[in-house]
Amino acid sequence: MTAFARLHRPGEPLLLPCAWDHASALVLAGHGFRALGTTSLGVAAAAGLPDGAAATRDETLRLALTLGSAPFLLSVDAEDGFSDDPDEVGELARQLAAVGAVGINLEDTLGPATRHAAKIAAVRRAAPGLFVNARTDTHWSGDGDWSDTLRRLDAYREAGADGVFVPGLTDPARIASLTARFDVPLNILYTPAGPSLAHLADLGVARVSLGSLLYRRALGAALETAADLRAGRDPGGPAPTYDEVRALTG
């Protein structure tokens, strides 16, 4: 079992904040987070590209190259692998592992479960040490069909997924049923409208991802600061100094 896999403990979940660039990753790591993810929305938006449209393969690899050798464990949000070809997804995984990433998040975008399972199997062959977090979008962008959710997750686990991920799922009873059903860690996306971190721990969740939340909060803080200044108010909230940010680049 890898060091990253060992951080996934049911009842004591890995809280995985997600970075979008070098500075955001180093700030988080500097405050004690041993493992970080990336957010595809943040990476795409920062580059002026659409999220979930297989448009940010190069940007994702570039960020992984920048962060993969840093002193923290890195899991990369790779959308659907940026391809429908399992072999191409496997090659992406090989490249991510080569630059130091320890995990990959792959979403099925509600496409055929057989195709996503084939991608997972290809990643297992190409990068055996990479932790594959298999995401289904049945609750995120689908209708929440429970039987479809179970069918997909069963297929992904059988294909070799190291963990399963159901963003958008907030019902405690169903979350608990998944932690009981699978012998691999369950990942849940934190949302203020859903269970608290402590409640998710009680339900047996092993990983709680923050997704794009930090990126969106950063945009909100920037907007609030500018609006306060325009209105003649002193902005509140903490902010790193110029020298502290500059120091992140070494």
Side-chain angles (χ1 to χ4, degrees):
M1 181 181 289
T2 66
F4 184 60
R6 285 195 294 272
L7 294 177
H8 295 70
R9 295 187 289 268
E12 191 181 344
L14 168 64
L15 179 63
L16 192 72
C18 298
W20 57 92
D21 62 9
H22 177 269
S24 58
L26 269 289
V27 165
L28 289 164
H31 280 74
F33 289 97
R34 295 176 54 196
L36 303 177
T38 64
T39 162
S40 66
L41 175 64
V43 172
L49 295 170
D51 184 34
T56 57
R57 186 183 191 277
D58 291 345
E59 287 75 13
T60 299
L61 279 171
R62 190 176 303 116
L63 182 58
L65 178 61
T66 301
L67 301 180
S69 59
F72 51 79
L73 301 172
L74 177 69
S75 181
V76 175
D77 183 351
E79 296 187 7
D80 67 349
F82 306 114
S83 175
D84 286 339
D85 183 338
D87 289 337
E88 291 183 2
V89 178
E91 173 58 19
L92 171 69
R94 186 197 66 77
Q95 293 178 41
L96 290 173
V99 300
V102 298
I104 185 172
N105 189 72
L106 287 175
E107 57 200 56
D108 64 12
T109 65
L110 297 181
T114 52
R115 184 175 68 201
H116 200 58
K119 292 181 185 182
I120 294 166
V123 169
R124 298 293 302 173
R125 292 191 299 270
L130 208 60
F131 187 103
V132 182
N133 196 45
R135 165 177 151 174
T136 182
D137 290 315
T138 52
H139 284 70
W140 188 245
S141 54
D143 59 7
D145 185 317
W146 190 237
S147 62
D148 189 32
T149 300
L150 297 178
R151 177 179 64 85
R152 288 173 179 272
L153 294 182
D154 284 341
Y156 305 158
R157 175 66 187 109
E158 186 175 349
D162 297 290
V164 291
F165 184 20
V166 192
L169 179 61
T170 59
D171 180 74
R174 288 190 166 178
I175 291 172
S177 73
L178 290 182
T179 62
R181 181 185 183 94
F182 290 100
D183 61 347
V184 295
L186 174 66
N187 185 186
I188 293 294
L189 182 69
Y190 172 79
T191 172
S196 66
L197 182 62
H199 192 183
L200 290 172
D202 290 341
L203 295 172
V205 171
R207 171 166 158 180
V208 178
S209 296
L210 297 187
S212 65
L213 178 62
L214 299 184
Y215 180 73
R216 292 182 286 111
R217 294 275 295 184
L219 291 179
L223 179 59
E224 182 179 34
T225 298
D228 282 343
L229 288 169
R230 183 171 60 185
R233 297 186 296 267
D234 290 332
T241 66
Y242 174 88
D243 288 338
E244 286 171 338
V245 174
R246 190 179 182 194
L248 296 174
T249 65

